[in-house]
Amino acid sequence: MPSRVAALVRRRVDGLADATRRVLSIAAVAGDALHLEPLAQVAGLSPWATAEALAAAQAAGLLTGRHFAHDLVREALLLATPEPLQAVLHAGIARHCADLLPPHRLAFHWWAAGDVPAALQATLAAASLDQQRGLHHQGLDACVGRGQPGQGLGGQAQGGVGVICFQRHARTLGPQACQPGRVLRACL
């Protein structure tokens, strides 16, 4: 991230009310501000106050509609949000948006929150969905978190044996017989 861009975003954000800064941090972790009610719940604000915060962020040029004006704005906000707070926000997003998010996105938030049981359940749901769609390798990738640091079982030290077992079973069964959820449950 160019330091000039980060400084520009920081100046714009610093001039905003606390509620607007909070809503922007949550939206940065969520990826957007599409879902007003859950965003309000995570922020601990009323939907009215959240809508006002979004309007202020739009007026400051940080949001265009319910999306960030640029990816660098979101990235700068994420860099300014401490990791422990990001974990809390990921958990809140997963909890309050569970019915709105696709399984893969929900699993991502649970893994980022550090809630292994919820992350495993969401990852199994994502892998099962991939399997139903005939996307067997994507189901495996969802479970081991390939290319996604901290995602899937690959980012969990405790899951190492389960991942090796899962990979071995999934590869020997082949794509026609592979059922990621069943194999992963058997390994864990």
Side-chain angles (χ1 to χ4, degrees):
M1 153 96 37
S3 60
R4 289 178 15 172
V5 172
L8 173 66
V9 172
R10 190 172 42 254
R11 279 195 306 273
R12 285 191 185 180
V13 171
D14 286 346
L16 298 172
D18 181 54
T20 303
R21 290 194 307 268
R22 188 177 340 150
V23 168
L24 280 170
S25 292
I26 297 164
V29 170
D32 56 45
L34 291 176
H35 307 292
L36 181 68
E37 298 265 340
L39 188 64
Q41 290 173 327
V42 175
L45 299 170
S46 71
W48 183 273
T50 303
E52 287 180 330
L54 291 175
Q58 291 167 347
L62 299 169
L63 292 178
T64 302
R66 299 276 184 95
H67 297 279
F68 285 96
H70 196 281
D71 287 338
L72 289 175
V73 172
R74 178 175 177 257
E75 189 178 324
L77 287 163
L78 282 173
L79 287 173
T81 306
E83 188 278 326
L85 181 55
Q86 285 187 33
V88 169
L89 296 177
H90 278 292
I93 292 163
R95 202 172 21 262
H96 294 292
C97 296
D99 295 337
L100 301 170
L101 296 174
H104 296 82
R105 195 76 190 142
L106 182 60
F108 165 78
H109 286 296
W110 282 125
W111 283 117
D115 187 329
V116 175
L120 281 172
Q121 184 177 2
T123 301
L124 289 173
S128 293
L129 179 64
D130 286 340
Q131 190 270 330
Q132 290 169 6
R133 293 178 175 167
L135 305 171
H136 304 284
H137 293 293
Q138 286 85 343
L140 174 62
D141 290 348
C143 289
V144 298
R146 270 200 206 119
Q148 305 294 327
Q151 247 186 290
L153 291 175
Q156 299 296 321
Q158 299 164 331
V161 174
V163 171
I164 293 167
C165 175
F166 180 84
Q167 288 174 323
R168 189 175 300 131
H169 281 84
R171 295 205 194 295
T172 58
L173 289 172
Q176 299 303 321
C178 180
Q179 294 184 0
R182 183 177 299 161
V183 175
L184 185 58
R185 283 185 194 98
C187 290
L188 299 177

